[in-house]
Amino acid sequence: MTSIVPAQAVTGPVRTADDGRTGRDGQDEAVPAPLAPRARLFPSLAAVYRAQLSRARVARIPLLFVATFQSVGIMVLMRGVVDGGSEARAVVAGSSVLVVAFVALNLLAQYFGQLRAGGGLDHYATLPVPPAAVVLGAAGAYASFTVPGTIVTAVAGSVLFGLPLTHLWVLVAVIPLSGAALSGLGAAMGLLAPRQELATLLGQLGMSAALLLGVLPADRLPGPIGWARDLMPSTYGVEALSRSFDAHPDWAVVALDLAVCAVVGVLSLAAATWAYRRAAVR
């Protein structure tokens, strides 16, 4: 009778000359398998970004409405106190960037705090992606998720306070740069907080600071609080957007504010990447 079971299934695999090498003592030495090439940063970043954006689109849409309505409500409230001029520009600019702070700082701090507390960092640690791709992908997804709410808030505030809409195209630079600075700060808070509750608290405090230091006009703040305003990452995005409401903006100063915001964004994202490495190995 002819068997249909391969001979190797019974007798074991037959070693060929290429399967191993013979050592000095006559025994075969195992040849290590070649390692897979390391994942590159940008393809990994794109993959994490798409995954996080899909997740945020499903889970964060109600919170985006809350952030938008909160900012619009603040502008309506301030409309009874502020008539126009530089104060109106500060209110509209600060309320618009507040949408970015609510999502990119507050929610991202809560997300990474929950991820660390629930062991989700172990999942990311097993993936063949660089740590920077995880942080930048999540930060980019949360920052880009704020685009509709920020635009709606800026347009509504301009109409409410009678500000020109001509230069609102500056939001193309303000949203990603402010989002990078705030999301890096939020990710670092969530990753460095020892407990999930503390990460939530830090995110709420950071959003409150963005509200108070961004919406209120700078000349109305006391000296020490004004210094704290200069340290807030979103301040320079607020200043750039506020200056764009002028009839003839000083574009050199606007560019300088955006450049400072970009530098702060790079530093905050670098700090978040370091915090991710630190949290992932613990």
Side-chain angles (χ1 to χ4, degrees):
M1 180 181 295
T2 303
S3 175
I4 62 174
V5 180
Q8 290 183 358
V10 179
T11 63
V14 179
R15 180 177 296 274
T16 62
D18 295 335
D19 289 340
R21 292 179 298 182
T22 302
R24 294 181 179 178
D25 54 357
Q27 297 180 355
D28 292 337
E29 295 180 355
V31 179
L35 297 176
R38 185 177 181 180
R40 291 178 296 174
L41 175 61
F42 290 105
S44 303
L45 173 60
V48 175
Y49 173 81
R50 288 193 299 266
Q52 290 291 339
L53 188 62
S54 177
R55 176 188 176 277
R57 188 181 298 134
V58 174
R60 303 302 185 185
I61 286 180
L63 295 176
L64 178 62
F65 280 110
V66 171
T68 305
F69 290 143
Q70 171 184 263
S71 295
V72 173
I74 290 173
M75 291 189 299
V76 173
L77 180 64
M78 296 296 291
R79 184 65 180 85
V81 181
V82 176
D83 293 330
S86 61
E87 296 179 348
R89 294 193 292 269
V91 169
V92 175
S95 299
S96 301
V97 177
L98 180 62
V99 179
V100 183
F102 184 91
V103 177
L105 193 158
N106 182 26
L107 296 185
L108 196 59
Q110 296 182 27
Y111 169 71
F112 274 109
Q114 180 183 5
L115 203 65
R116 179 181 179 181
L121 292 180
D122 297 335
H123 166 71
Y124 280 107
T126 60
L127 298 178
V129 295
V134 177
V135 174
L136 294 177
Y142 274 71
S144 60
F145 190 64
T146 65
V147 172
T150 306
I151 293 176
V152 168
T153 303
V155 172
S158 300
V159 173
L160 185 63
F161 286 91
L163 300 176
L165 301 171
T166 309
H167 302 127
L168 279 184
W169 56 263
V170 78
L171 287 172
V172 174
V174 170
I175 293 176
L177 295 179
S178 298
L182 291 172
S183 59
L185 180 60
M189 287 179 175
L191 290 167
L192 294 176
R195 298 180 58 185
Q196 180 180 353
E197 295 80 4
L198 184 57
T200 301
L201 176 62
L202 291 175
Q204 293 285 347
L205 290 176
M207 187 194 67
S208 300
L211 167 62
L212 296 176
L213 302 178
V215 174
L216 297 179
D219 54 357
R220 297 287 187 89
L221 298 176
I225 299 181
W227 300 336
R229 183 178 185 271
D230 295 336
L231 298 176
M232 189 68 190
S234 60
T235 296
Y236 303 96
V238 173
E239 289 293 334
L241 182 57
S242 177
R243 296 180 196 279
S244 68
F245 288 121
D246 294 338
H248 302 285
D250 189 344
W251 293 114
V253 180
V254 172
L256 180 60
D257 288 331
L258 293 176
V260 174
C261 192
V263 172
V264 175
V266 170
L267 294 177
S268 64
L269 290 173
T273 303
W274 170 83
Y276 173 82
R277 292 177 185 271
R278 180 176 179 270
V281 299
R282 289 195 168 188

